[in-house]
Amino acid sequence: MSFERFLNQQLADWDRQRLRRRLKVARPVSGMRVATEEGELLVFSSNDYLGLSRHPAVVAAAVRAAEAEGAGAGAARLVCGSTEAHARLESALAAFKGSERALGFSSGYAAALGVLPAVVGPGDCVVLDRLAHACLVDAARLSGARLRVFRHNDLNDLERILRWTDEARVRGFRSETAAAGGGRIEPGRVLVVTESVFSMDGDRAPLREIVALKTRHDAWLLVDEAHGTGLCGAGRRGVIEELGLEGRVELPMGTLGKALGAAGGFVSGSVSLIDFLVNRARSFVFSTAPPPAVAAAAAAGVELVRGAEGAVRVARLNANLEAMHTGLVEAGWKLAAPVSPIVPLHVGDEGEAVRLSEALREEGLLVPAIRYPTVPRGRARLRVTLSAAHDAEDIAAFQRGLVRALNRTGLAPG
Ligand SMILES: *Cc1c(COP(=O)(O)O)cnc(C)c1O
């Protein structure tokens, strides 16, 4: 089969299953509005939860850094690409997180891909929540460690697997035959991996209980705070802070492209952890440093979030969230009390989710349907996200548009 034919057959197949995705250009206008080919749309799907991506201080920091240090860093951090902007970002992150040090990566995806395989490998075991983000799954696979998956947020299932690791780690997680094949066998390491706030469902992991379990079973813990950083806890450091678990999670990871308004990923921790990752995390070692402008923008985002501006914006976001939740429940949606700015409206069928998303688009609302492979088949949904950049009228416009879209598609609130 020719290469082009292979590509086109696959694309046609995705079309039939309503799984084909397309890029659409959206130009930010003001607040959460974007200009598109079909006119202006109000966005309810951005992770710019605090509206910082367009904050004048964040934008000015990027412009200044680009002018002072250039558009590109020119090389990897360890070669000659480690600029003042990177150093300032990492000091700001360490001060924000209350850790000795922090290390920035060019994206959250790159952070996961660098960190997991640096700390575990063949002979070790990664114990992963079933709904963990794709980058954590890919990183776990890349590490070569044995992969075990526990049911989403299910402490009994996690404990069952950790009990199994107590015995299996003696053989270094190799099969009986491989273990019998000789060679030096070291006890395997066990790394539990989860998110603090889950990206597609907006629910939270029971971190206090997970910390207790991993401690009891002598495992380590990586917590991805992509959707907790900047939003949760009195210092807005994340759910780990909110639950008083700081210092008890070996690998706290965060991203800079969501509430912090820029781009990148990071890990915070001890001097030893950061030195270790600088030497071992391949996505850090073998990749060009993030542009100085991006690092500077992220540093400005961190400073805003830590300060009074952060408190004001989180309060505005929470007020929006409450108004949205009240309205949806009144409209007949069965929703749990919100614990994050992510409100999943479950539809189920992929085709119906796409139809509802298209109907909302005709109402001037941008809420893409989230489908397989991002979520399991038959669990399609509209992932509604809120931002401090929305105002009360935006929330009301969404509620009105949703009612009309449901009427037109003949779908009912789920
Ligand atoms: C967005 C996201 C990432 C990836 O971060 P990027 O900076 O977008 O690469 C990692 N983990 C979770 C849970 C995310 O939602």
Side-chain angles (χ1 to χ4, degrees):
M1 190 194 295
S2 83
F3 186 55
E4 279 298 313
R5 188 149 162 244
F6 155 74
L7 300 175
N8 290 324
Q9 267 187 7
Q10 185 64 70
L11 288 168
D13 206 38
W14 291 331
D15 257 337
R16 268 192 302 280
Q17 298 181 63
R18 308 295 311 247
L19 292 175
R20 182 164 177 181
R21 304 174 182 198
R22 291 169 201 276
L23 293 172
K24 287 181 183 142
V25 174
R27 182 171 52 82
V29 180
S30 68
M32 293 308 280
R33 286 173 191 282
V34 294
T36 71
E37 269 184 357
E38 302 131 87
E40 213 166 279
L41 298 173
L42 190 50
V43 175
F44 280 93
S45 45
S46 169
N47 301 319
D48 186 6
Y49 299 124
L50 298 179
L52 291 183
S53 74
R54 311 191 69 220
H55 190 287
V58 174
V59 175
V63 170
R64 271 198 311 274
E67 282 172 354
E69 307 189 41
R77 294 280 301 279
L78 283 169
V79 179
C80 60
S82 211
T83 70
E84 271 176 24
H86 299 110
R88 272 199 301 271
L89 168 60
E90 287 164 357
S91 314
L93 282 169
F96 171 49
K97 297 290 285 186
S99 61
E100 284 178 3
R101 291 266 199 93
L103 186 67
F105 290 77
S106 38
S107 70
Y109 199 111
L113 242 48
V115 172
L116 262 101
V119 299
V120 288
D124 299 326
C125 183
V126 173
V127 186
L128 192 69
D129 185 286
R130 186 176 297 288
L131 294 191
H133 191 268
C135 69
L136 300 169
V137 177
D138 294 354
R141 289 205 183 116
L142 181 64
S143 75
R146 177 88 183 257
L147 187 57
R148 297 289 314 257
V149 173
F150 63 100
R151 284 197 294 271
H152 177 54
N153 281 348
D154 186 330
L155 293 165
N156 290 327
D157 204 34
L158 173 60
E159 186 168 20
R160 180 182 63 80
I161 294 170
L162 287 176
R163 264 202 234 106
W164 167 83
T165 66
D166 289 341
E167 314 232 320
R169 72 192 313 165
V170 178
R171 296 194 309 275
F173 298 105
R174 290 173 172 90
S175 65
E176 299 281 357
T177 43
R184 196 167 63 97
I185 300 288
E186 289 183 5
R189 294 177 282 251
V190 178
L191 178 67
V192 178
V193 175
T194 191
E195 296 174 25
S196 60
V197 173
F198 283 83
S199 58
M200 291 300 134
D201 290 72
D203 58 340
R204 292 189 184 194
L207 284 185
R208 213 175 264 138
E209 292 77 8
I210 291 176
V211 165
L213 274 178
K214 69 94 184 172
T215 307
R216 200 171 325 132
H217 292 273
D218 210 10
W220 298 332
L221 178 61
L222 182 152
V223 176
D224 182 348
E225 290 247 48
H227 302 275
T229 308
L231 303 176
C232 304
R236 293 172 288 287
R237 298 197 282 274
V239 179
I240 293 172
E241 179 212 346
E242 187 174 309
L243 298 178
L245 298 172
E246 284 172 308
R248 302 193 57 196
V249 175
E250 285 76 11
L251 293 162
M253 195 184 116
T255 63
L256 303 167
K258 288 164 180 163
L260 295 174
F266 70 93
V267 170
S268 53
S270 65
V271 171
S272 309
L273 171 63
I274 301 312
D275 273 355
F276 180 92
L277 293 175
V278 163
N279 284 276
R280 279 287 289 276
R282 293 171 65 85
S283 64
F284 178 87
V285 175
F286 297 106
S287 185
T288 299
V294 173
V302 171
E303 294 305 345
L304 286 168
V305 161
R306 284 180 72 195
E309 180 85 31
V312 167
R313 288 189 178 231
V314 168
R316 206 182 302 151
L317 170 63
N318 287 337
N320 286 340
L321 192 54
E322 186 154 335
M324 177 63 95
H325 181 78
T326 307
L328 288 173
V329 169
E330 277 169 13
W333 291 88
K334 289 178 244 351
L335 300 173
V339 291
S340 77
I342 303 162
V343 183
L345 298 181
H346 289 278
V347 178
D349 180 74
E350 282 77 19
E352 287 181 359
V354 171
R355 272 204 295 137
L356 186 55
S357 167
E358 281 166 1
L360 285 170
R361 214 177 160 91
E362 284 156 26
E363 297 292 336
L365 301 165
L366 184 55
V367 191
I370 306 285
R371 289 162 277 171
Y372 178 84
T374 309
V375 295
R377 278 185 203 274
R379 297 281 313 276
R381 70 201 58 179
L382 301 187
R383 174 181 179 267
V384 177
T385 57
L386 294 177
S387 170
H390 287 125
D391 60 25
E393 176 45 35
D394 294 338
I395 309 292
F398 179 88
Q399 313 268 7
R400 289 193 301 270
L402 179 61
V403 168
R404 279 196 296 263
L406 285 170
N407 282 341
R408 257 183 316 112
T409 51
L411 297 171

